[in-house]
Amino acid sequence: MISSQPTTAAPHVGAPVIAYIGLGSNLQEPQQQIALARTRILDHPEISEVAFSSLYHSPPMGPQDQPDYCNAVLAIYTLLPAIALLDFLQSIENQQGRVRQAQRWVARTLDLDILLYADQKIQLPRLTIPHPGMAERAFVLYPLYEIAPDLSIPELGELSQLLNHCPLNGLQRI
Ligand code: ROI
């Protein structure tokens, strides 16, 4: 029998969640890479901007034989599940010429990291949230504090407390 009723349920549409994205670049006009990435992220129909930090200049963490970085943090509202957000951010990294190398911690045109996704803890092969190592990274904590000073981070506690234990390590607001 042919039914006129739809046979599939409407997709579940959840409430938007807030997510924080760390942006970093140290190749090919880093400030422009960051600005372009912000525009591309906000072009997505299921993402809207909550806040964007200043740009920061930071010496490389890790191997020192690479240029200094430009860093920033973007807060968004999104309807995308965390993994779909990750896929989208990686597609932007690829569009902007990111070359994935076997060696870790090398120079890159663009790095987009999901730092926080709502107040969730996520442990998947491709994605760990909160972003591992964020508590030790001045180039993440200070821009994050600029746009969300009252933030409390799952497992890690108050952002303001984390800052107290994180030296600037040469970080400078541009
Ligand atoms: N160092 C700085 N200063 N900023 C970064 O965004 C950054 N990203 C990285 C490593 C190589 C760890 N160092 C960095 O992935």
Side-chain angles (χ1 to χ4, degrees), residues 51-104:
F52 187 61
S53 76
S54 307
L55 300 183
Y56 289 76
H57 178 98
S58 64
M61 177 187 185
Q64 297 295 295
D65 59 342
Q66 56 179 320
D68 286 353
Y69 279 78
C70 180
N71 285 108
V73 170
L74 173 66
I76 59 170
Y77 279 129
T78 187
L79 291 165
L80 295 174
I83 280 290
L85 179 60
L86 177 68
D87 286 338
F88 176 59
L89 297 178
Q90 288 187 345
S91 76
I92 295 174
E93 290 176 340
N94 294 340
Q95 278 178 68
Q96 292 187 218
R98 167 87 177 256
V99 179
R100 290 180 198 282
Q101 314 212 36
Q103 202 188 342
R104 285 178 74 223

Side-chain angles (χ1 to χ4, degrees), residues 24 58-61 66 69 71 105-106 108 111 137 139:
S58 64
M61 177 187 185
Q66 56 179 320
Y69 279 78
N71 285 108
W105 287 17
V106 293
R108 69 275 315 271
D111 203 7
R137 296 184 173 190
F139 59 85

Side-chain angles (χ1 to χ4, degrees), residues 94-173:
N94 294 340
Q95 278 178 68
Q96 292 187 218
R98 167 87 177 256
V99 179
R100 290 180 198 282
Q101 314 212 36
Q103 202 188 342
R104 285 178 74 223
W105 287 17
V106 293
R108 69 275 315 271
T109 49
L110 184 62
D111 203 7
L112 299 175
D113 291 328
I114 306 175
L115 304 170
L116 300 168
Y117 183 86
D119 55 1
Q120 294 185 16
K121 279 175 45 189
I122 299 175
Q123 196 86 49
L124 294 169
R126 291 179 58 211
L127 185 63
T128 304
I129 306 253
H131 188 272
M134 66 179 282
E136 291 85 48
R137 296 184 173 190
F139 59 85
V140 169
L141 295 184
Y142 285 82
L144 186 58
Y145 184 77
E146 188 190 331
I147 60 172
D150 297 327
L151 200 64
S152 181
I153 300 174
E155 299 276 89
L156 300 176
E158 297 299 315
L159 176 57
S160 57
Q161 288 300 313
L162 296 178
L163 271 193
N164 287 338
H165 299 99
C166 186
L168 278 167
N169 291 326
L171 183 79
Q172 286 181 317
R173 201 148 114 180

